[in-house]
């Protein structure tokens, strides 16, 4: 039996090639983490009698989902009570929820929150995650701790630490050092068979001084990409105008932060000139509709961003790693926001959630095609137990996903040819132990949180 090889048989393939293809009765041969052959069931099985077989039992087999922006550290927010009056706007949410919460995290909590989110991602078929981390009282080494957990989980992830001035100069400097150290480490020694990658994290213009932005740029080699929140709320724009006389995109451009390797999360309140600048310099934008609705910050002008030529991707912002939920939220949000059912077609949602997310992930994992089923591509796959009661084809698939697919239908998750969940049973992680440990730790996190009020 060849252990590094695997044959998936009896699959209904969704390839997500461009154009997409849906193929019945197919088999996939996987070797050393890559898909090496796609052929008919009979032929591949006959030619590879010694290879371990997984029968997909006619389920849909498709590329695993990719999340373009998340926060593992937010795991302990679930069920947390915020003292006093409810936050009245997004800056208030930062002050009353996220900043006291991230200050409450010890290194053990950082590890546990990553574990919780990784279990969630495997269960819901999200195989690549781009994380943005903050733990101001456990900065140094935090990215290593998360990387260890990503490695053990078998998933693929990109990490960074969010540099910010909100906790003073020393912590801003510690954040810079953590990013630089981790980026160098990932460059020198590719972690976890290349499943872990690094970028440079910045919180947002509104918590970054001119000096700190300059320090970040001085600390990294030219051409480094960043991962930063931009114009999530109007406050970011007004703060930038007050600090520099410039809008956020202009300010960040002047500091050399933007470009084809940089990820900008949200871009809800950018103006027309900022949109054209993001398009001109090739910056990626990520859209997180559930988060935007939850924070009451409005809806990013996603269709206009895409029409301008910006590659808009889809993320969760730390919500559960259920990417099809994000598809649905996006599909619905823009219709209600504009009071027009013609807005945000399923094709545009798939453009973000599939093709643009795959192109972004490709930047960090360049050794093989990602987010696609074809020979040579990474074997990052999910099985979906979906039984349509109407015709399903390449043209209407986005609407089947939006109205029919549920993450609970995902039965098997595979990354780089390793089975992480089979028939809904997690293999690479002990879900009960992870939940029990996180539950225990959550008490301490919540106590430390409450003490700050
Ligand atoms: Zn975020």
């Amino acid at each position: 039996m060849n252990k590094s090889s695997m044959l998936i048989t009896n699959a209904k393939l969704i390839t997500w090639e461009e154009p997409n293809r849906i193929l019945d009765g197919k088999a996939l041969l996987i070797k050393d983490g890559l898909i090496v052959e796609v052929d008919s069931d009979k032929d591949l099985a006959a030619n590879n009698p010694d290879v371990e077989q997984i029968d997909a039992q006619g389920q849909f087999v498709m590329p695993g989902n990719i999340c373009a922006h998340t926060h593992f550290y937010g795991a302990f927010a679930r069920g947390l009570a915020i003292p006093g009056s409810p936050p009245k706007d997004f800056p208030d949410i930062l002050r009353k929820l996220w900043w006291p919460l991230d200050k409450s995290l010890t290194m053990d909590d950082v590890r546990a929150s990553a574990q919780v989110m990784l279990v969630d991602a495997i269960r819901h078929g999200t195989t690549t995650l781009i994380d943005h981390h903050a733990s101001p009282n456990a900065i140094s080494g935090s990215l290593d701790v998360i990387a260890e957990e990503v490695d053990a989980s078998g998933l693929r992830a990109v990490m960074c630490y969010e540099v910010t001035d909100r906790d003073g100069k020393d912590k801003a400097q510690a954040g810079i050092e953590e990013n630089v150290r981790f980026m160098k480490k990932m460059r020198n020694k590719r972690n976890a068979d290349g499943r872990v990658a690094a970028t440079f994290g910045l919180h947002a213009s509104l918590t970054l001084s001119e000096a700190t932005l300059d320090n970040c740029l001085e600390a990294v080699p030219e051409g480094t990409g960043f991962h930063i929140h931009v114009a999530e709320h109007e406050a970011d724009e007004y703060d930038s105008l007050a600090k520099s006389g410039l809008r956020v995109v202009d300010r960040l451009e002047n500091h050399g932060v933007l470009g084809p390797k940089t990820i900008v999360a949200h871009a809800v309140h950018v103006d027309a000139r900022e949109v054209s600048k993001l398009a001109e310099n090739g910056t990626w934008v990520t859209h997180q509709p559930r988060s935007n609705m939850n924070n009451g910050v409005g809806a990013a002008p996603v269709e206009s961003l895409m029409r301008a030529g910006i590659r808009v991707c889809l993320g969760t912002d730390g919500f559960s790693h259920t990417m099809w939920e994000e598809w649905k939220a996006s599909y619905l949000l823009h219709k209600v926001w504009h009071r027009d059912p013609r807005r945000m077609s399923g094709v545009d949602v798939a453009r973000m959630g599939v093709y643009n997310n795959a192109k972004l992930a490709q930047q960090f994992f360049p050794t093989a095609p990602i987010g696609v089923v074809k020979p040579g591509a990474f074997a990052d796959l999910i099985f979906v137990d979906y039984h349509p009661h109407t015709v399903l084809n390449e043209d209407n698939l986005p609407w089947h996903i939006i109205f029919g697919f549920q993450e609970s239908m995902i039965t098997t998750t595979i990354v780089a040819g390793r089975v992480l969940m089979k028939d809904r049973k997690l293999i690479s992680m002990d879900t009960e132990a992870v939940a029990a440990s996180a539950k225990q730790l959550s008490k301490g996190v919540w106590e430390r949180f409450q003490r700050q009020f």
Side-chain angles (χ1 to χ4, degrees), residues 69-71 73 90 132 162 203 227-229 232 265-266 286 288 291 316-318:
H69 175 76
T70 186
H71 303 279
Y73 77 83
F90 179 64
H132 196 276
E162 67 150 67
H203 173 241
H227 186 180
I228 180 170
H229 299 96
E232 185 168 359
H266 299 298
T286 71
Q288 291 71 224
S291 162
T316 61
D317 216 6

Side-chain angles (χ1 to χ4, degrees), residues 62-131:
M62 60 195 292
N65 284 319
I66 294 167
C67 172
H69 175 76
T70 186
H71 303 279
F72 294 163
Y73 77 83
F76 289 112
R78 191 169 300 175
L80 175 65
I82 300 172
S85 54
K88 66 181 189 305
D89 56 20
F90 179 64
D92 218 19
I93 291 171
L94 290 177
R95 283 190 295 267
K96 289 183 175 173
L97 172 59
W98 296 113
W99 294 349
L101 179 65
D102 66 26
K103 281 193 189 68
S104 304
L105 301 174
T106 64
M107 205 58 94
D108 285 346
D109 304 326
V110 170
R111 185 182 296 280
S113 56
Q115 288 172 339
V116 166
M117 293 299 213
L118 294 164
V119 163
D120 175 75
I122 295 171
R123 185 170 279 147
H124 297 132
T126 299
T127 50
T128 297
L129 304 119
I130 302 182
D131 187 51

Side-chain angles (χ1 to χ4, degrees), residues 257-333:
V257 168
L258 303 178
K261 289 183 184 166
T262 288
I263 304 166
V264 151
H266 299 298
V268 177
H269 295 280
V270 289
D271 74 4
R273 181 62 189 129
E274 289 178 291
V275 171
S276 58
K277 278 198 171 178
L278 289 170
E280 281 161 22
N281 59 38
T283 301
W284 302 85
V285 170
T286 71
H287 178 42
Q288 291 71 224
R290 287 185 296 180
S291 162
N292 293 163
M293 290 192 282
N294 186 46
N295 292 328
V297 296
V302 166
E303 293 158 296
S304 302
L305 297 175
M306 288 204 278
R307 203 162 53 246
I310 296 171
R311 295 167 297 183
V312 183
C313 303
L314 212 53
T316 61
D317 216 6
F319 270 67
S320 184
H321 292 103
T322 44
M323 288 308 298
W324 296 327
E325 287 296 313
E326 219 63 58
W327 283 49
K328 290 165 207 208
S330 177
Y331 188 75
L332 300 174
L333 167 63

Side-chain angles (χ1 to χ4, degrees), residues 156-201:
R156 208 179 282 285
V158 182
M159 263 104 67
C160 67
Y161 187 89
E162 67 150 67
V163 174
T164 176
D165 283 310
R166 69 182 150 93
D167 302 309
K169 270 191 187 148
D170 290 351
K171 296 206 172 181
Q173 189 54 36
I176 293 172
E177 284 164 16
E178 180 64 2
N179 278 301
V180 171
R181 182 193 66 75
F182 189 71
M183 289 174 92
K184 275 188 190 153
K185 184 175 171 181
M186 289 301 103
R187 246 203 324 269
N188 296 338
K189 174 178 161 273
R190 299 223 60 175
N191 200 317
D193 310 324
R195 285 184 290 100
V196 176
T199 185
F200 194 107

